[in-house]
């Protein structure tokens, strides 16, 4: 067993990584620049917490395996477990999705609740120390071994005390704001190249107190309204229920159609969506927050897996390597998959082995490539997208559109596609011959019907079957 590992960042990535490191290190130190509350309280370092979050099936399974009893506590404290395709009013770009059971569930709660449960469970471990208000400022290298990361340089916020934390392994889990590229450059180490897909999207969210009862025709527990760039609709919106009988309503704009950040403008924008359902829900609820906005939503992949000589003693995980447009709800699940990749690497390769870091980065890349592919291909549908990747082929675009058209009404396609979106199956499973044929035929028929017999979009979703 190694002596000491230091994890930079106490978000979901860092907490998940720290959990798997317990198997291999006598002591783990997790440091974070923020105050870390005991309960589900917001913190400055996670501004995205003000917007909607979803924990999809794979992520829920992984968190339960890492922290046994997590899901029972999660639901007991108010998290909603829903089958989005059946429990939600879902408007995809081709039209309303029929309420169908997919067999996959997502957990909806605030990011604050999710982190607080995981953080408390990790704090109960005897080998993990969490240092709040401690900001990493660089990597420490010993004068006698300048080619290896030997720890972390940090400063305690408030007191200004400088710290040197020696470590056998440094794990960067600091997220979108990671300074790893500049730290590596300052040491003369190889810096990963980046791939960026930016559809110039932005969020605006407002929190509401939900009414004690809804009108009889409001059968849905959540709302999901996609934009439709083909029809010049570039703003979509969602409503997610969260603990404490609250709703978070989020507008998502693409192609620089950023949603308003003022209260009146936000409400008007709800009424300009493809369906008035979200504005009606906002009228039924009572606002309990201002409007929160965010525009740092590009997809960014740092190709650590392509480094010829990664810096020994240092790895980066999850959103320090790969960040997604948050609308796709992949972030927390990818955090657990990155932790699992680290665990499997430590099981197979000695930490001092010259190939350890290269093996890990390759394993992590394989774990997240489907999530990267799904997010970037969706964002590249919008005009003006900035992309370092080639545009999808005409077949790929047609196939993606056909999935959405067909799963709107075909229960079999929905049942087999949703495990891909929820990261239970590889995207390769979409090309199983019988499924691919069903998707393509359904997509072609749907596209032809839309051209030959266009019908106006219903303002409200179809009713949900009684059974």
């Amino acid at each position: 067993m190694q002596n000491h590992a230091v994890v930079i960042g106490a978000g979901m990535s860092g907490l998940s990584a720290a959990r798997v490191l317990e198997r291999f290190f006598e002591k783990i130190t997790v440091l974070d620049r923020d105050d870390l509350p005991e309960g589900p309280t917001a913190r400055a370092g996670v501004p995205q917490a003000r917007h909607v979050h979803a924990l999809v099936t794979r992520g829920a399974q992984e968190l339960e395996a890492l922290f046994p009893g997590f899901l029972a506590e999660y639901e007991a404290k108010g998290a909603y477990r829903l089958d989005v395709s059946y429990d939600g009013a879902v408007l995809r770009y081709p039209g309303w999705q029929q309420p169908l059971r997919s067999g996959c569930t997502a957990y909806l709660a605030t990011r604050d609740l999710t982190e607080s449960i995981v953080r408390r469970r990790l704090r109960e471990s005897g080998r993990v120390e969490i240092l709040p208000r401690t900001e990493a400022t660089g990597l420490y290298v010993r004068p006698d071994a300048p080619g290896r990361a030997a720890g972390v340089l940090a400063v305690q916020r408030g007191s200004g005390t400088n710290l040197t934390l020696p470590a056998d392994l440094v794990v960067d889990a600091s997220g979108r704001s990671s300074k790893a590229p500049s730290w590596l450059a300052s040491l003369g180490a190889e810096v990963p190249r980046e791939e960026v897909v930016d559809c110039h999207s932005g969020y605006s969210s407002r929190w509401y107190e939900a009414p004690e009862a809804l009108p009889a025709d409001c059968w849905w527990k959540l709302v999901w309204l996609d934009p439709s760039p083909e029809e010049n609709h570039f703003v979509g919106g969602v409503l997610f229920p969260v603990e404490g009988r609250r709703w978070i309503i989020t507008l998502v704009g693409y192609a620089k159609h950023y949603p308003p950040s003022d209260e009146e403008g936000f409400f008007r924008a709800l009424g300009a969506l493809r369906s008035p359902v979200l504005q009606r829900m906002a009228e039924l609820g009572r606002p309990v927050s201002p409007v929160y906005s965010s525009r740092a939503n590009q997809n960014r992949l740092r190709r650590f897996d392509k480094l010829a000589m990664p810096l020994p003693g240092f790895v980066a995980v999850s959103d320090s390597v790969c960040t997604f447009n948050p609308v796709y709800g992949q972030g927390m699940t990818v955090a657990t998959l990155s932790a699992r990749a680290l665990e499997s690497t430590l099981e197979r390769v000695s930490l001092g082995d010259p190939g350890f870091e290269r093996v890990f980065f390759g394993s992590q890349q394989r774990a997240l490539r489907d999530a990267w592919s799904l997010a970037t291909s969706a964002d590249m549908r919008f005009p003006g997208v900035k992309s370092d990747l080639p545009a999808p082929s005409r077949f790929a675009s047609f196939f993606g559109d056909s999935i959405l058209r067909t799963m709107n009404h075909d229960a079999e396609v929905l049942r087999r596609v949703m495990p891909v979106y929820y990261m239970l199956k590889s995207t390769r499973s979409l090309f199983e011959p019988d499924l691919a044929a069903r998707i393509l035929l359904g997509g072609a028929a749907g596209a032809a019907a839309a051209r030959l017999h266009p019908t106006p979009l219903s303002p409200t979703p179809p009713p949900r079957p009684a059974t």
Side-chain angles (χ1 to χ4, degrees):
M1 181 172 283
Q2 302 291 325
N3 181 43
H4 189 209
V6 173
V7 179
I8 304 169
M12 293 300 293
S13 301
L15 299 174
S16 299
R19 175 59 105 192
V20 303
L21 291 172
E22 287 185 284
R23 290 185 52 202
F24 306 96
F25 291 84
E26 294 177 4
K27 179 181 178 182
I28 300 97
T29 301
V30 181
L31 53 94
D32 197 282
R33 68 189 303 273
D34 286 343
D35 283 315
L36 298 173
E38 293 294 330
T41 304
R43 58 191 183 93
V46 192
Q48 200 63 35
R50 295 166 172 171
H51 306 292
V52 292
H53 279 74
L55 180 63
V56 299
T57 311
R58 178 67 182 277
Q61 291 176 353
E62 295 291 352
L63 279 177
E64 178 65 21
L66 290 170
F67 301 94
F70 167 80
L71 291 178
E73 181 178 357
Y74 205 29
E75 289 194 74
K77 291 186 174 178
Y80 289 77
R81 178 166 58 94
L82 301 176
D83 184 334
V84 173
S85 302
Y86 183 73
D87 294 315
V90 179
L91 176 60
R92 301 296 184 188
Y93 95 85
W96 289 104
Q97 183 172 292
Q98 297 297 313
L100 300 169
R101 296 188 185 275
S102 72
C104 292
T105 56
Y107 289 81
L108 307 182
T110 63
R111 175 67 174 264
D112 299 332
L113 176 63
T114 312
E115 277 196 11
S116 69
I117 296 174
V118 173
R119 190 167 56 240
R120 178 185 56 76
R121 287 172 172 264
L122 193 64
R123 276 173 166 157
E124 294 171 352
S125 168
R127 291 204 302 276
V128 178
E129 180 184 20
I130 301 179
L131 300 180
R133 296 181 59 80
T134 306
E135 183 172 2
T137 57
L139 297 173
Y140 166 66
V141 295
R142 296 200 314 266
D144 61 335
R148 180 179 183 85
V152 174
L153 303 173
V155 61
Q156 290 182 325
R157 301 181 69 196
S159 69
T161 302
N162 292 311
L163 302 175
T164 299
L165 302 172
D168 300 289
L169 178 66
V170 176
V171 179
D172 176 19
S174 56
R176 286 180 179 266
S177 61
S178 170
K179 302 296 191 298
S182 61
W183 293 346
L184 294 172
S186 70
L187 297 174
E190 189 177 359
V191 177
R193 64 178 175 85
E194 294 186 347
E195 296 174 356
V196 175
V197 176
D198 186 357
C199 66
H200 307 289
S201 67
Y203 273 26
S204 288
S205 294
R206 197 173 193 192
W207 296 43
Y208 294 78
E209 179 185 304
E212 293 188 6
L214 290 172
D217 61 327
C218 294
W219 57 262
W220 48 85
K221 297 177 182 177
L222 66 97
V223 179
W224 184 295
L225 307 179
D226 273 345
S228 179
E230 292 80 2
E231 300 171 350
N232 290 316
H233 285 283
F234 294 100
V235 180
V238 297
L239 177 152
F240 282 6
V242 296
E243 70 275 7
R245 214 184 81 218
R246 293 173 295 174
W247 294 332
I248 304 177
I249 297 180
T250 295
L251 289 170
V252 188
Y254 298 83
K256 298 185 179 180
H257 288 74
Y258 300 115
S261 57
D262 65 288
E263 295 175 2
E264 290 186 9
F266 182 84
F267 185 76
R268 286 197 304 271
L270 292 174
L273 298 175
R274 296 170 64 205
S275 164
V277 167
L278 269 184
Q279 190 178 64
R280 181 187 180 194
M281 299 299 283
E283 290 174 328
L284 293 171
R286 182 177 70 86
V288 293
S289 82
V291 178
Y292 303 113
S293 295
S294 170
R295 295 189 181 182
N297 298 327
Q298 66 266 33
N299 306 277
R300 183 183 304 274
L301 175 61
R302 295 185 172 118
R303 298 307 302 262
F304 280 92
D305 61 304
K306 297 296 186 182
L307 294 180
M309 295 185 64
L311 180 69
F314 172 81
V315 296
V317 298
S318 188
D319 47 0
S320 293
V321 175
C322 187
T323 59
F324 305 92
N325 187 336
V327 71
Y328 303 115
Q330 300 164 311
M332 292 189 290
T333 299
V334 166
T336 66
L337 298 183
S338 291
R340 289 301 194 187
L342 181 58
E343 181 180 43
S344 67
T345 304
L346 285 163
E347 289 173 339
R348 294 180 291 122
V349 185
S350 297
L351 183 57
D353 189 298
F356 174 84
E357 293 76 18
R358 188 178 302 109
V359 170
F360 165 70
F361 285 127
S363 177
Q364 178 175 240
Q365 178 63 24
R366 290 189 293 276
L368 59 78
R369 64 186 173 192
D370 278 352
W372 173 254
S373 174
L374 289 169
T376 55
S377 61
D379 277 2
M380 282 196 281
R381 294 178 58 234
F382 293 93
V385 63
K386 173 187 174 184
S387 176
D388 295 323
L389 305 179
S393 67
R394 291 181 65 184
F395 173 79
S397 296
F398 177 73
F399 190 76
D401 289 350
S402 296
I403 290 174
L404 296 178
R405 288 187 185 278
T406 310
M407 68 187 287
N408 265 5
H409 58 82
D410 188 321
E412 175 68 10
V413 170
L414 178 73
R415 183 184 65 80
R416 294 174 66 178
V417 167
M418 289 305 290
V420 176
Y421 289 167
Y422 282 18
M423 304 177 75
L424 293 167
K425 290 186 177 182
S426 166
T427 54
R428 292 190 297 272
S429 68
L430 297 173
F431 298 95
E432 294 170 358
D434 63 324
L435 177 59
R438 193 163 181 151
I439 289 171
L440 290 170
L441 288 172
R451 286 195 304 270
L452 296 174
H453 305 288
T455 56
L457 178 71
S458 169
T460 56
R464 188 171 70 170
T467 57

